[in-house]
């Protein structure tokens, strides 16, 4: 029984090629033929099939470098690179993290929320795997969450590790009021961000995903000495 392929089904419409940078060289040649000739051979077929398809491709690779190294065909790159949309990595748009977390939790099979402390940790992490890594993190944490909340204990060590390296900043008596504990954790997160950025507040706001005004108020609230952080005295 005949089963139409992706280009068959996309005829007259749009086909999305995800992670085009991972396409093997032999398949790159076949995609190039479709783009140039607007035709292809069906598997096992003996005649060409005309097709009118708009192609949208995505990648997380540096395609120019791949072309220079010979791992991606230059002719295909220029065929695809007609109009480019650059989406910054998640670490450069921390303000999106809370929105994405809310979206993933709304679509979770388990009805859970996330604590403010855990969310702050997510916003401080660099996310090398971008949105997919965030999605997997939330899905995994939601499965093992207790009492309806995702807490730091449900996050992976690579996310919480930077805070565990400085336990003195986060260690409080277990009978401390909740607000006091949250304030100390928030203070530690801000200090860590300032340390990582050499005390440069503009860069720290990018790392934390908050506005400069918000950071200034938090620095004042927690009485953080930014000058001592810059001079590595803190």
């Amino acid at each position: 029984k005949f089963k139409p392929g992706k280009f068959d089904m996309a005829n007259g419409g749009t086909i999305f090629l995800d992670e085009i940078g991972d396409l093997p060289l032999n398949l790159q040649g076949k995609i190039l033929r479709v783009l140039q000739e607007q035709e292809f051979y069906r598997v096992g077929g003996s005649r060409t099939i005309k097709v009118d398809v708009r192609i949208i491709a995505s990648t997380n690779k540096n395609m120019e470098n791949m072309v220079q190294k010979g791992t991606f065909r230059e002719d295909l790159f220029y065929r695809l690179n007609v109009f480019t949309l650059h989406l910054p990595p998640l670490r450069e748009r921390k303000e999106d993290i809370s929105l994405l977390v809310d979206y993933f939790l709304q679509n979770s099979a388990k009805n859970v929320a996330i604590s403010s402390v855990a969310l702050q940790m997510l916003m401080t992490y660099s996310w090398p795997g971008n949105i997919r890594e965030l999605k997997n993190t939330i899905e995994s944490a939601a499965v093992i969450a207790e009492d309806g909340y995702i807490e730091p204990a449900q996050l992976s060590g690579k996310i919480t590790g930077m805070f565990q390296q400085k336990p003195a900043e986060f260690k409080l008596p277990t009978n401390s009021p909740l607000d006091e504990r949250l304030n100390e954790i928030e203070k530690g997160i801000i200090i860590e961000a300032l340390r990582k950025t050499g005390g440069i507040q503009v860069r720290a706001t990018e790392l934390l995903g908050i506005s400069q005004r918000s950071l200034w108020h938090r620095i004042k609230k927690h009485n953080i000495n930014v000058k001592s952080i810059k001079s590595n005295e803190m």
Side-chain angles (χ1 to χ4, degrees):
K1 184 179 178 181
F2 168 70
K3 184 178 180 180
K6 302 299 183 184
F7 278 94
D8 270 315
M9 293 187 289
N11 190 24
T14 302
I15 189 168
F16 175 57
L17 303 177
D18 193 17
E19 299 298 350
I20 190 73
D22 294 334
L23 199 66
L25 281 169
N26 63 320
L27 293 181
Q28 292 177 27
K30 294 179 180 180
I31 295 295
L32 179 63
R33 174 183 171 84
V34 176
L35 287 172
Q36 288 179 331
E37 309 297 335
Q38 294 188 315
E39 63 183 24
F40 66 95
Y41 283 98
R42 287 196 182 113
V43 176
S46 58
R47 63 183 181 88
T48 58
I49 306 297
K50 285 289 183 181
V51 66
D52 180 17
V53 174
R54 175 176 58 188
I55 291 183
I56 298 175
S58 74
T59 183
N60 64 354
K61 305 287 181 65
N62 187 316
M63 301 301 291
E64 289 89 348
N65 286 349
M66 292 186 68
V67 169
Q68 291 175 2
K69 293 177 181 177
T71 56
F72 197 87
R73 294 182 59 138
E74 184 177 18
D75 45 8
L76 177 57
F77 170 71
Y78 286 113
R79 280 283 181 177
L80 291 169
N81 195 32
V82 177
F83 182 80
T84 302
L85 289 174
H86 174 67
L87 184 63
L90 195 55
R91 64 180 176 272
E92 294 178 10
R93 46 192 178 96
K94 294 294 184 72
E95 66 277 5
D96 289 349
I97 290 177
S98 60
L99 298 174
L100 289 166
V101 169
D102 286 343
Y103 174 76
F104 295 143
L105 288 177
Q106 288 171 11
N107 290 275
S108 173
K110 192 174 177 181
N111 185 22
V112 296
I114 187 167
S115 72
S116 59
V117 177
L119 182 59
Q120 285 287 346
M121 288 183 172
L122 295 182
M123 296 184 74
T124 307
Y125 182 58
S126 61
W127 298 109
N130 290 304
I131 293 178
R132 286 190 180 122
E133 184 182 8
L134 175 61
K135 183 175 185 290
N136 291 340
T137 296
I138 295 301
E139 289 178 348
S140 174
V143 170
I144 59 176
E146 299 176 355
D147 301 323
Y149 273 92
I150 295 174
E151 298 287 357
Q154 281 86 53
L155 302 179
S156 69
K158 59 186 176 182
I159 296 174
T160 61
M162 61 175 286
F163 304 101
Q164 294 170 356
Q165 292 170 5
K166 296 178 174 59
E169 293 172 6
F170 297 93
K171 189 175 181 180
L172 286 172
T174 56
N175 60 350
S176 296
L178 178 61
D179 287 343
E180 183 180 343
R181 279 184 266 174
L182 292 177
N183 281 334
E184 283 299 311
I185 292 173
E186 182 182 71
K187 179 180 179 180
I189 290 171
I190 292 171
I191 290 173
E192 182 65 18
L194 289 167
R195 278 181 171 148
K196 291 180 73 173
T197 58
I200 301 174
Q201 295 184 41
V202 174
R203 290 177 57 194
T205 61
E206 296 172 355
L207 192 64
L208 294 167
I210 59 178
S211 68
Q212 292 185 45
R213 183 178 178 83
S214 177
L215 178 60
W216 182 82
H217 280 298
R218 291 166 198 252
I219 289 173
K220 187 176 180 181
K221 180 180 74 171
H222 297 301
N223 195 27
I224 297 172
N225 191 332
V226 179
K227 289 183 179 179
S228 67
I229 293 175
K230 285 184 177 179
S231 60
N232 294 319
E233 294 175 358
M234 190 167 182

